[in-house]
Amino acid sequence: MVTTMTPPPSSGLVVNMAAFIARVCRYVLRHRSCVLQTTRSALKCKFHRSASVCNGLLHGLNKRGIVKESFPDDAAHDRLPRLLQSAAQTVYCGFDPTADSLHVGNLLALIGLLHFRSAGHHAVAVLGGATAQIGDPSGKTSERERLSADVVEANTRRIRDSIHRIVANHELHFHDASKTLGTVTVLNNLSWYKDWNVVGFLSEAGRHFRMGTMLSRHSVQSRLRSSEGMSLTEFTYQAFQAYDFYHLNQVYGCKIQLGGTDQLGNIMSGHDFIHKASGEEVYGLTLPLVTSSTGDKLGKTAGNAVWLSRDRTSPFELYQFFLRQADASVERHLRLFTFLPLAEVESLMEQQRADPGKRLAHKRLAAEVTKLVHGKDGLESAKRCTNTLYHSSTRALEEMSDLELQELFREAPFHELLLEPGTTVVDACRRVSAIPEGPKGYRMVSEGAVWLNHQRTDNPEQVLIPKIHILANGLTLLRVGKRNYHIIKWLSL
C-alpha cells in the first residue's frame, strides 16, 4: 500500500476548511433523517459499499453466518470483495489429521470451501501430515499426546477419502449445473516439509517472525499462564501454519485462508509472514465454532465429536444429531450447514412456526446434512434406521442390511446361528444368552419380556416362523426388556 504525504495546510486553507465543515454540519442537521437512513443502508453491507459487492459471495456467506470475522479488517471489507469479483481466486483451509475422521465442526469449514467452489473459485484442503505431529495449542489446556508418523499417515488417508466423498456428494446433489465449478485440491503439508531441515527452516523462514508478536497470541498467552505451560514444539506451531499459507500463496496463488475463530492468531501470523517475505496482500476469514446446546465446542478434545466417518458415527446417528437440535438453533443450522437458498430457509421456518409438531425444518436439516456427508444411500439408510427404531416398522427392519443393524444397535451382540428345525422362542433366547438358564428365563418369556421384530411374544414354545419371527433377509431382532438387543443372523441348513 502506497501512502501519499500531503503538505501542511496554509492559513487560508484552514479558514476555507472551517467554513466548509460548518456548512456540512448545517446540512446534516437539516437532513439528518435522510443521512441516517443512508448510513443504515451502507452498514447493511459489511464488506463493501457497492451494490454489486453487497450482493456477492461474501455478503451471502455473511448473511448465512458462515463468515464471522475478516482479517485484516480495513482491507478485507474493501479489497477482498473486489478481488473475488475480478477473477477466480484460490482459498484454503487446513485440517490436522489428529484423528482418523473429521467431525461436524470441520464440516462447516468444508462447506465454506464448497461455497467458494460453487462461485467459481478454487478450493484447497490442506491435511497437516507434518503439523499434526507438532500439535496446535489453540483452544487446548494441555499438550496433545504425540502421534507417530504412521498413525498420522493412516489418519490422513482416511480423511482424504472423506473429503473426496463430501465433495462428490455436493457436486452430485447440491450443485447448480448451470454454474461453473472451481477445482478442489487436497494436499498434505508433509510434502513441502519433508526436505527441510531445522537449520534451513529457521534460517530462511524464522527470521520473519518476531517473538513479541508470537508471544502476544491468545493461544500462547493462555497456555503460558497455565500450570503446565507450553512446550517449544507447540510454540512453533503458528510458524508452520504461517509457512503453509506462504507456500500455497507462492505455488498456487492462494490469497485467502479460512479457519475457525480459534485460528485467528495463526491466520494473522500467516498474513504477517507473507507480507514480510513477499509483500503479497492476503486475507483471512474465520468461521463460527460449532457448539453443543450447552455452549461447549464440539470436537475431539471435548470428547463430544459427531464424526463424518461412518465407522465412528453412522448416517442414522448423524441424522439424529441434527434432527434433535433445539428449536432455537434449527434456523441458524439450516443457514450454516445446508445449501438451501435463504428464501427457502425462511419459508421452512414459517411452516415450522405454523405447525411445530411436524418438525419440518428439523427433518430437512437432518436430511440435507446426511445426504451431503453420506450421499443419497446414506440418507435412505438413516431413514430406515429411524423407522425401525422409533416407528417399529417391520418393513424397514426387513430392508435393513447387516451393517445397518450393527450401526443402529452398536452395543447389541451380533450372532450367526444355524436354523435347526423346530427352534422355539426360548431356544433362540438361550442360544444367544439373552435370558438366564432354567425356570427364570422361561418365566421371562411367559411374562412378555421378550420381543421379536418389534412383536411381543409370551409363548416360550412357539416355533420360529419364517416371515414373522425370521425376516426375508434372514434376520431376527431380539429384545429383552427395554434396551437389551440381540441381532441374530440365521444360517440355513
Side-chain angles (χ1 to χ4, degrees), residues 117-133:
R117 187 195 185 204
S118 293
H121 302 290
H122 306 303
V124 176
V126 174
L127 304 184
T131 44
Q133 298 179 57

Side-chain angles (χ1 to χ4, degrees), residues 148-159:
S148 70
D150 290 342
V151 169
V152 171
E153 183 182 358
N155 291 347
T156 301
R157 287 196 302 269
R158 297 285 300 277
I159 291 174

Side-chain angles (χ1 to χ4, degrees), residues 88-95 102 109-127 159-172 175 180-188 248 252 258 339 372:
Q89 300 299 317
T90 299
V91 56
Y92 104 92
C93 186
F95 306 91
L102 298 178
L110 286 174
I111 287 173
L113 288 177
L114 291 173
H115 275 292
F116 276 92
R117 187 195 185 204
S118 293
H121 302 290
H122 306 303
V124 176
V126 174
L127 304 184
I159 291 174
R160 181 187 291 111
D161 292 343
S162 181
I163 292 175
H164 285 316
R165 184 185 70 245
I166 291 170
V167 169
N169 287 336
H170 171 260
E171 187 169 346
L172 181 62
H175 170 58
T180 302
L181 280 171
T183 60
V184 176
T185 306
V186 181
L187 302 173
N188 183 346
L248 294 171
Y252 295 90
L258 296 184
F339 297 93
L372 174 65

Side-chain angles (χ1 to χ4, degrees), residues 221-286:
Q221 285 291 312
S222 60
R223 287 294 298 281
L224 289 178
R225 289 192 294 265
S226 69
S227 58
E228 183 174 323
M230 175 181 253
S231 70
L232 174 63
T233 302
E234 285 184 301
F235 182 68
T236 63
Y237 184 91
Q238 58 180 297
F240 284 94
Q241 184 167 324
Y243 187 84
D244 285 348
F245 199 178
Y246 171 78
H247 175 84
L248 294 171
N249 175 258
Q250 296 297 298
V251 177
Y252 295 90
C254 177
K255 295 184 178 181
I256 306 165
Q257 180 181 0
L258 296 184
T261 54
D262 59 348
Q263 294 297 307
L264 182 58
N266 293 330
I267 293 173
M268 292 166 67
S269 294
H271 172 274
D272 294 347
F273 176 57
I274 292 169
H275 189 70
K276 290 175 182 176
S278 67
E280 287 272 354
E281 189 65 55
V282 295
Y283 308 90
L285 297 172
T286 65

Side-chain angles (χ1 to χ4, degrees), residues 189-202:
N189 66 8
L190 186 62
S191 66
W192 56 83
Y193 287 118
K194 63 183 180 181
D195 295 327
W196 276 101
N197 59 55
V198 175
V199 174
F201 183 79
L202 290 176

Side-chain angles (χ1 to χ4, degrees), residues 355-417:
D355 191 350
K358 288 186 177 179
R359 295 173 62 80
L360 293 176
H362 292 78
K363 291 176 181 176
R364 187 64 182 276
L365 170 66
E368 293 287 305
V369 177
T370 306
K371 187 161 62 173
L372 174 65
V373 176
H374 295 294
K376 187 176 179 181
D377 290 344
L379 175 57
E380 291 173 352
S381 172
K383 289 181 175 179
R384 276 194 298 272
C385 291
T386 298
N387 288 331
T388 296
L389 189 61
Y390 296 117
H391 304 293
S392 299
S393 170
T394 303
R395 180 177 178 181
L397 181 61
E398 196 166 38
E399 292 174 347
M400 291 177 70
S401 66
D402 296 0
L403 174 62
E404 288 172 341
L405 275 170
Q406 291 177 68
E407 289 176 341
L408 181 57
F409 304 101
R410 285 190 182 273
E411 305 302 320
F414 185 88
H415 313 270
E416 290 189 336
L417 301 180

